[in-house]
Amino acid sequence: MDQKISKRLGHDDSSGFEFSKELLGSDSTAAINFDRLQKHPRLGYVIIEYLLCEEEQTVTPYTSHPNRYWNKNASKFLALWRAKLDFHAVLYLVNYAKKGTRAEDEVLLIEVLDMDERGIQSDTRKQYSRAEFAKWFRKLNQECLSEGEALLTDIYRHKSTEALGKLTLQGGKHQGETIESVYLKDPTYLQWLRETNYPYSKAALCYLDTINNRNRKSQRSERSTT
């Protein structure tokens, strides 16, 4: 997501959690919360779950692992794994300790490679200092920020040609006209619009791509019948 759309992190907003808790009452929840879900240009979706090691525990971030307390939290990790599979994502678990505690400078990054009902069956682990992990984390975050244009393109690629054609342009000489009507009388304008960052530029891009693909398929079909 680009800088214009994203924003700096603020304080945690627990109101949504409290609202769900109020509505559910004593019912068990079917939901899990992702600490982070972001899309990387090469890795695809990345799920990050933070695992806090409390100071009173005997283990530290370097020595703790979900399999050590699997029986207490299996459903959470299995739900994360299912989400990873559904999203075709990378799943990272991050062991950390609070600042000011004895293990504050230990961060363990666990990439989960396989999991079943018995626990995590395969993973890779890398130990970082807090500063080293911050460098890795900021690099990953910056790479995901470059996906701003792709965010809109991915959304519009899920719309049909007809739905895209009905979108009304928000500015320029064809303001108030639909993409389809502009294509029929001034297609060069859409060719120009698709290369800009103006509203609906990515919708125009996807509309033209689907029209061009449709025309190419039609031409191939005509050639095969002659």
Side-chain angles (χ1 to χ4, degrees), residues 53-63 97-106 130:
C53 290
E54 298 287 359
E55 189 169 20
E56 61 269 18
Q57 292 179 267
T58 56
V59 294
T60 70
Y62 283 170
T63 59
K98 292 180 180 178
K99 266 187 97 62
T101 61
R102 61 185 173 86
E104 69 172 356
D105 208 35
E106 292 187 14
R130 206 176 191 91

Side-chain angles (χ1 to χ4, degrees), residues 70-103:
W70 185 256
N71 290 338
K72 295 181 180 179
N73 229 348
S75 58
K76 171 185 176 179
F77 293 113
L78 289 170
L80 285 168
W81 183 247
R82 180 173 62 180
K84 172 259 190 288
L85 296 175
D86 287 345
F87 279 104
H88 304 287
V90 176
L91 174 58
Y92 289 126
L93 306 177
V94 179
N95 286 351
Y96 76 103
K98 292 180 180 178
K99 266 187 97 62
T101 61
R102 61 185 173 86

Side-chain angles (χ1 to χ4, degrees), residues 169 173-174 179-196 204-205 207-208 212:
L169 297 182
K173 67 177 183 179
H174 291 296
I179 289 178
E180 181 182 30
S181 66
V182 175
Y183 174 77
L184 294 174
K185 66 181 180 182
D186 191 3
T188 56
Y189 180 81
L190 293 185
Q191 292 288 355
W192 168 82
L193 179 63
R194 68 178 288 168
E195 302 300 331
T196 72
L205 181 152
Y207 181 81
L208 290 172
N212 291 336

Side-chain angles (χ1 to χ4, degrees), residues 4 17-18 27 49 59 69 82 87 112 114 118 130 134 151 171 182 188 192 195 204 206 224:
K4 295 178 181 178
F17 173 80
E18 293 299 328
D27 295 351
E49 182 69 14
V59 294
Y69 51 92
R82 180 173 62 180
F87 279 104
V112 183
D114 189 27
R118 298 170 298 150
R130 206 176 191 91
L151 170 64
V182 175
T188 56
W192 168 82
E195 302 300 331
C206 294
S224 66

